Amino acid sequence: MSLGDSMTEVLYLPGSQVRGRYMRLDAATILKRFFFCERSLVISQSGWLGWIAPLEVKTTLPRFAWEDALTAHALRERIFELHFPSRLLEVGGDAAVVDVFDAAADAPSAEAYVVGLGRVLVPALQAAYEAYLAGVDEIADGPSRRFLRVAVEEKQAQVAELEILGGKMLAAAPHRGSEAEAWAANLGAALAAAGGVTLEPPAPAPKPSLPGARALSIADSPARDPAYHRCRFYWPDIVDPGFAYGEGLRLQLRTAVSHINEVWAVETAGAILFAFATELGWEFIYDAARWTYDESRHCRMGVQRLANWGYEPAEVPLGTYIYDSAAGQPPVFRLGMLYFFETKNIGKKNERARAFAEYGDNISQHDMEFDWADETIHAHFGNHWLRALHEARPATIPAPDALRARCSELVRATVASASDAERREINAISEDMVRKAERIARGDAHP
Ligand SMILES: [Fe+2]
Ligand SMILES: [Fe+2]
């Protein structure tokens, strides 16, 4: 080699290091696929809540949907960082795989939906995240690595819980077992046909058409756990203005019954997430997922307090009247019901928390204080999204004040329809609960 050659030869250091597997836009493309799958899970789990009877399942799926929404939110923010300055987020070439996730919503039964979720969709995302993490560069892509590691942990736990919940649901409805098994198998085959959720773009495929599919819609009347005492009006004061909300032991009991009866708020928050997901976009889905999860926690507060005092589910009334009042109305009425009726008593919550402190009832105080903190968030959600809808569609969405008045009228009409038999029924139930509470308080019955 002459001196002249070495001056013209172009030399480079080797660059084939394992860290460089995914370039910035490759990573963004993969994360975008994950985002749309998670988004689909949040919407379908929320839409199913009104159709799911077992209270345990109805109050667990909202946690999963909220976890999925947090992962989706982190994915979305990360995609924007990697795509900067573009804020464009479209399904595009990932349609084949996202279509399978969307098709899962149209399950023929709640059992089939839960089995498909636990056996096919959630494990597919877990495996895809594990594959991404196996090749992720923790230096360049550390932010993605952090939230995907959390997501893998959550997905693992979801799969285990869904296995148990699906098993219980099928044990309670064995006649729907073969349909649910076939649904999950067909869902798995459709996902495989699209190439699965992988780090590669899916092969284009027609929209899956799964045997037995039934388009998911908002439930007009909610499915309710048969273990509880099902009714429309869950305490005498609802149908009898002269019946006192109560103090002391009656207030402790009434508040716990109120909490478990926030089951209608769980179903309603899920319904509005499902109804307005496309129109209001991701920020709404993200807020509504938290809203639904919060209401599921409020419901569980009641479940737990009553169970710990020693009440059996059959002794506890589970009502439907506020949910029923929006039946047949456009979905914005459900948003109105949730906003107006859930935040109505926000001012009383701190007052009641103080009363419980005086009674030495730490757990009721604790639950009421945390509930209050959630409600202040919900007041903001309701105000913000009702206004957004009204501004976008002033001709079809009533202004908040008009909607509030109409929602109150609808609930008043439902309450006015209470029959004497219903009044007698809820009086008897509440008297039994109060008598039992007195025995427990005296130490005659063991919680
Ligand atoms: Fe609540
Ligand atoms: Fe609320």
PDB file of all heavy atoms in Angstrom, residues 262 295 298 342 375, ligand 1:
ATOM      1  N   GLU A 262     -72.641   1.944  44.166  1.00  0.00           N
ATOM      2  CA  GLU A 262     -71.981   2.679  43.093  1.00  0.00           C
ATOM      3  C   GLU A 262     -71.687   1.744  41.923  1.00  0.00           C
ATOM      4  O   GLU A 262     -71.066   2.141  40.942  1.00  0.00           O
ATOM      5  CB  GLU A 262     -70.727   3.379  43.604  1.00  0.00           C
ATOM      6  CG  GLU A 262     -71.076   4.544  44.507  1.00  0.00           C
ATOM      7  CD  GLU A 262     -69.921   5.493  44.760  1.00  0.00           C
ATOM      8  OE1 GLU A 262     -69.034   5.597  43.901  1.00  0.00           O
ATOM      9  OE2 GLU A 262     -69.921   6.121  45.829  1.00  0.00           O
ATOM     10  N   GLU A 295     -64.749   4.281  40.297  1.00  0.00           N
ATOM     11  CA  GLU A 295     -66.086   3.858  40.739  1.00  0.00           C
ATOM     12  C   GLU A 295     -66.061   2.388  41.156  1.00  0.00           C
ATOM     13  O   GLU A 295     -66.776   1.989  42.081  1.00  0.00           O
ATOM     14  CB  GLU A 295     -67.132   4.104  39.642  1.00  0.00           C
ATOM     15  CG  GLU A 295     -67.254   5.554  39.173  1.00  0.00           C
ATOM     16  CD  GLU A 295     -67.508   6.576  40.275  1.00  0.00           C
ATOM     17  OE1 GLU A 295     -67.678   6.192  41.438  1.00  0.00           O
ATOM     18  OE2 GLU A 295     -67.520   7.793  39.959  1.00  0.00           O
ATOM     19  N   HIS A 298     -64.841   2.404  44.632  1.00  0.00           N
ATOM     20  CA  HIS A 298     -65.873   2.842  45.587  1.00  0.00           C
ATOM     21  C   HIS A 298     -66.852   1.700  45.861  1.00  0.00           C
ATOM     22  O   HIS A 298     -67.267   1.475  46.999  1.00  0.00           O
ATOM     23  CB  HIS A 298     -66.619   4.073  45.065  1.00  0.00           C
ATOM     24  CG  HIS A 298     -65.705   5.235  44.786  1.00  0.00           C
ATOM     25  ND1 HIS A 298     -66.061   6.331  44.057  1.00  0.00           N
ATOM     26  CD2 HIS A 298     -64.415   5.445  45.155  1.00  0.00           C
ATOM     27  CE1 HIS A 298     -65.045   7.174  43.991  1.00  0.00           C
ATOM     28  NE2 HIS A 298     -64.025   6.646  44.646  1.00  0.00           N
ATOM     29  N   GLU A 342     -73.188  11.498  40.814  1.00  0.00           N
ATOM     30  CA  GLU A 342     -72.061  10.985  41.584  1.00  0.00           C
ATOM     31  C   GLU A 342     -71.347  12.104  42.337  1.00  0.00           C
ATOM     32  O   GLU A 342     -70.727  11.864  43.362  1.00  0.00           O
ATOM     33  CB  GLU A 342     -71.078  10.268  40.647  1.00  0.00           C
ATOM     34  CG  GLU A 342     -71.162   8.767  40.745  1.00  0.00           C
ATOM     35  CD  GLU A 342     -70.448   8.281  41.990  1.00  0.00           C
ATOM     36  OE1 GLU A 342     -69.258   8.604  42.171  1.00  0.00           O
ATOM     37  OE2 GLU A 342     -71.088   7.581  42.783  1.00  0.00           O
ATOM     38  N   GLU A 375     -63.720  11.976  43.850  1.00  0.00           N
ATOM     39  CA  GLU A 375     -64.860  12.741  43.318  1.00  0.00           C
ATOM     40  C   GLU A 375     -64.451  14.127  42.838  1.00  0.00           C
ATOM     41  O   GLU A 375     -65.060  14.670  41.908  1.00  0.00           O
ATOM     42  CB  GLU A 375     -65.991  12.847  44.348  1.00  0.00           C
ATOM     43  CG  GLU A 375     -66.735  11.555  44.611  1.00  0.00           C
ATOM     44  CD  GLU A 375     -67.173  10.806  43.350  1.00  0.00           C
ATOM     45  OE1 GLU A 375     -67.357  11.431  42.285  1.00  0.00           O
ATOM     46  OE2 GLU A 375     -67.295   9.580  43.424  1.00  0.00           O
TER      47      GLU A 375
HETATM   48 FE    FE B   1     -67.942   7.152  43.259  1.00  0.00          FE
END
